[in-house]
Amino acid sequence: QKEVEQNSGPLSVPEGAIASLNCTYSDRGSQSFFWYRQYSGKSPELIMFIYSNGDKEDGRFTAQLNKASQYVSLLIRDSQPSDSATYLCAVNKGDYKLSFGAGTTVTVRA
Amino acid sequence: SQTIHQWPATLVQPVGSPLSLECTVEGTSNPNLYWYRQAAGRGLQLLFYSVGIGQISSEVPQNLSASRPQDRQFILSSKKLLLSDSGFYLCAWRLIQGVRDEQFFGPGTRLTVL
């Protein structure tokens, strides 16, 4: 079993719609979770982090965490063409050593 | 503000040649530093991390080594490159500031081994 799994994608959504990204993790003891956005050819940039069960909102982004189900999700509301990228889910294994999923590529259609 | 630099940005090397990639961080002291590799079509894999000068932990057995000769410098090396060493190498640092505890990546070095 992989440490972090993401829905494989690619995910194509029309402009203005909600993009929903899912991630599951295997280590029940994991405490902190991150979403990074990576444009083609560029390094990942941190867009959201979440430590507690429930929802966390930041602008058009909402992260959701359910530790009992070992599940993290990211919602992108009012999707824009500039949101087209690969989204990486990461789990802190301790000492901030991150384990990453393979990523989900999102394409927002104008 | 803190910034992280990596060089070179791109590198093409023959199989069997040595490698040295450098990462430096500005605007902070004694940061935790990390080397990741992203192979084509694959996720990011943690290679090494360091909590201080001379302190290196290896996460996966491989053809690479890391060193931290100065507080804000982290170097990734190899004596003899393999084809499988090709990939996008990313240095990262950990920001701990009040309630913030986040990890940021440098611009990366794209290595092609031929």
Side-chain angles (χ1 to χ4, degrees):
Chain A
Q1 182 184 11
K2 292 182 180 178
E3 291 181 338
V4 181
E5 298 204 53
Q6 296 183 240
N7 43 338
S8 57
L11 179 65
S12 180
V13 298
E15 186 173 356
I18 295 175
S20 178
L21 307 172
N22 302 317
C23 173
T24 57
Y25 59 95
S26 60
D27 184 354
R28 187 170 288 278
S30 301
Q31 294 297 316
S32 50
F33 308 86
F34 307 87
W35 284 99
Y36 286 82
R37 177 176 62 199
Q38 186 175 24
Y39 292 114
S40 180
K42 301 296 185 181
S43 63
E45 55 179 321
L46 180 66
I47 55 172
M48 288 287 289
F49 61 89
I50 187 165
Y51 303 151
S52 303
N53 278 329
D55 295 358
K56 179 181 179 183
E57 188 175 315
D58 184 359
R60 295 185 296 109
F61 298 98
T62 299
Q64 299 173 318
L65 173 61
N66 183 326
K67 290 186 179 179
S69 300
Q70 295 173 240
Y71 174 90
V72 189
S73 67
L74 180 71
L75 299 177
I76 307 173
R77 292 183 302 282
D78 188 24
S79 295
Q80 302 296 309
S82 58
D83 295 326
S84 297
T86 297
Y87 290 81
L88 304 172
C89 173
V91 176
N92 184 1
K93 299 191 296 182
D95 290 329
Y96 226 101
K97 294 178 288 181
L98 300 184
S99 181
F100 282 83
T104 300
T105 299
V106 174
T107 301
V108 180
R109 309 186 305 269
Chain B
S1 64
Q2 302 90 350
T3 56
I4 182 169
H5 304 278
Q6 287 186 248
W7 61 88
T10 60
L11 191 59
V12 180
Q13 292 285 99
V15 169
S17 64
L19 174 73
S20 181
L21 303 181
E22 188 165 342
C23 169
T24 59
V25 182
E26 295 178 358
T28 186
S29 59
N30 197 32
N32 283 13
L33 297 173
Y34 307 81
W35 278 112
Y36 290 84
R37 176 173 61 201
Q38 188 173 38
R42 298 180 63 182
L44 281 159
Q45 181 184 35
L46 178 64
L47 302 176
F48 300 97
Y49 84 102
S50 170
V51 299
I53 295 174
Q55 300 179 67
I56 310 293
S57 294
S58 173
E59 290 298 298
V60 294
Q62 61 202 302
N63 184 43
L64 302 168
S65 62
S67 62
R68 187 163 175 181
Q70 299 180 40
D71 181 44
R72 286 171 284 180
Q73 184 184 35
F74 203 18
I75 296 173
L76 185 69
S77 304
S78 174
K79 292 182 179 178
K80 288 186 178 181
L81 284 168
L82 306 172
L83 287 174
S84 58
D85 291 324
S86 293
F88 192 32
Y89 287 82
L90 291 153
C91 180
W93 72 283
R94 180 182 180 184
L95 168 67
I96 305 174
Q97 193 174 69
V99 298
R100 296 183 68 185
D101 187 355
E102 302 165 13
Q103 190 170 118
F104 296 94
F105 287 90
T109 294
R110 194 163 300 279
L111 171 66
T112 303
V113 182
L114 302 175

